[in-house]
Amino acid sequence: MDHTHKKPKEDNDAAAAAADASAKHSHGDQHHHQHQHHHEHHHEHHQQQQQQHSAATLSAEQVTDAFALLSIQDKGWLQKDERERLEQHFGLATAPMMLALLPFIAARAHCNVSHFHVGVVVLGHSGRAYFGVNIEFRNVGINQAVHGEQCAISRAFSLGEDYLTDLFVNAAPCGHCRQFMAEMKGADELRIWFGGRQYALSDLLPSAFTPGDLGCTHPLFDRSDKRKVRHNALIPSDIVLASVELGDTRTAELSALASSSLASATALATATAASPSPHALPPDVAALLLTEFSRSYSPHTHSDAAVVVAMKTGELFGGAYLENAAYNPSLGPLQMAICRLLCDHPGDLLDTFCKDVAAVYLLQRAQAPLSLVDATRSVLNSFTTAVPLTISTVLA
């Protein structure tokens, strides 16, 4: 944080200064004592606030037992009434309750690279609470990792939250996450809690670079973008399908076709018609891909994209691309889908992808300047090369 120090103003008239000081001496003493009393009162209040916010600690067993007793499903987020019942059960106000949950949440982090467990809770305007953990992937660049704050925020976004009011985390947010928060609607009012204190985002990220600096008038969580109205009108027949099996000899050719221009989209459609894919896009997958595509947030490059992870049980988990004005903190659609998947399958990710995932589907905008094919494939390959990746495009 940049602190500005002001140099005291010199008084060239010593006599006038002495007279003025004599006249104000009594008032100055009184003001000094009042200021000191105010400072001591503020310090005492701050200490009480710290004690209140850091006193409660709950074991994983206590939280698990409370969930069972209160019939709360362990699903990665809490309805408002579930959160309130949990607070009443432990006799804690909202902030201490959320902070007390952080060790329980952090224990579920997938941090096989850093071995640093991050636990996060975000509160939405609806009163719901969403959990988040850091998720790391071996054998790919560390820039593909999901930060705990991103995980919680993406869960709130995907479940239709209007905006966030509070974020609780068990360690100071890194610069990457502070920048990700700056993308959100209402970021200026967001309360951030860690280390026994409450902060505003402006305390942690002064002079921030925000979506407005790129001319964006619809930040993350603002769903009034007219482009989304057009996306909502898309139907499955608008999707141009190119099935790409990992290891298939057609992968490189079709990946090149699924790039940025209208000409390439036309070529892709021609190639697909001439050599039909043996893998039809299932109707439920197509519908969820379009839903997630309509949620995709890409105001800076218009490279909207979506992913669906299909389980062998028939379950589908969707994710949308969430872009950031600073580019690097953007969250890929497969990463967002994984955040959703972990709500229902909180176990080992490698095990889940190797044993339970049937296929992964990527849908992206045909004319987009960016392609997420390589990034999606690299994350998928960090688990297994046996799961097929199907690439599709849409003219939107």
Side-chain angles (χ1 to χ4, degrees), residues 288-367:
L288 184 54
L289 278 173
L290 289 176
T291 297
E292 295 296 339
F293 186 86
S294 70
R295 289 175 178 157
S296 178
Y297 173 80
S298 180
H300 312 303
T301 69
H302 303 304
S303 299
D304 300 278
V307 155
V308 167
V309 176
M311 311 296 286
K312 292 178 181 178
T313 59
E315 295 172 284
L316 300 178
F317 297 94
Y321 174 50
L322 301 185
E323 199 166 69
N324 189 272
Y327 285 15
N328 283 349
S330 301
L331 186 66
L334 178 54
Q335 283 90 327
M336 184 171 172
I338 288 172
C339 291
R340 289 294 306 276
L341 182 152
L342 284 172
C343 289
D344 289 358
H345 298 271
D348 181 77
L349 265 177
L350 177 61
D351 209 42
T352 298
F353 267 83
C354 290
K355 294 181 179 179
D356 302 326
V357 173
V360 173
Y361 301 85
L362 169 67
L363 176 65
Q364 53 186 8
R365 184 169 166 262
Q367 308 98 318

Side-chain angles (χ1 to χ4, degrees), residues 172-255:
C174 70
H176 182 102
C177 292
R178 299 178 194 197
Q179 184 66 52
F180 193 78
M181 294 177 215
E183 193 78 22
M184 301 189 304
K185 179 178 78 173
D188 292 341
E189 305 300 322
L190 181 68
R191 295 181 291 264
I192 303 166
W193 308 74
F194 65 91
R197 289 186 59 190
Q198 174 190 324
Y199 300 85
L201 184 58
S202 58
D203 297 327
L204 307 178
L205 191 67
S207 304
F209 184 79
T210 67
D213 290 302
L214 293 182
C216 174
T217 57
H218 301 284
L220 186 63
F221 286 91
D222 182 341
R223 306 174 200 272
S224 62
D225 189 347
K226 291 182 180 179
R227 291 177 62 248
K228 294 305 173 188
V229 175
R230 296 197 301 274
H231 291 174
N232 288 334
L234 294 170
I235 57 176
S237 61
D238 293 322
I239 297 176
V240 178
L241 173 64
S243 182
V244 181
E245 294 281 349
L246 295 183
D248 191 336
T249 55
R250 299 179 66 210
T251 296
E253 176 188 353
L254 291 175
S255 295

Side-chain angles (χ1 to χ4, degrees), residues 121-193:
V121 182
V122 293
L123 283 185
H125 176 246
S126 66
R128 294 192 293 261
Y130 308 88
F131 304 163
V133 297
N134 53 321
I135 307 168
E136 299 165 357
F137 311 105
R138 284 186 177 274
N139 304 315
V140 296
I142 56 175
N143 61 309
Q144 299 283 21
V146 181
H147 294 228
E149 292 87 335
Q150 289 180 305
C151 179
I153 291 168
S154 73
R155 283 176 172 173
F157 180 82
S158 67
L159 290 168
E161 188 60 60
D162 187 33
Y163 64 91
L164 303 180
T165 60
D166 296 83
L167 183 146
F168 305 86
V169 59
N170 65 337
C174 70
H176 182 102
C177 292
R178 299 178 194 197
Q179 184 66 52
F180 193 78
M181 294 177 215
E183 193 78 22
M184 301 189 304
K185 179 178 78 173
D188 292 341
E189 305 300 322
L190 181 68
R191 295 181 291 264
I192 303 166
W193 308 74

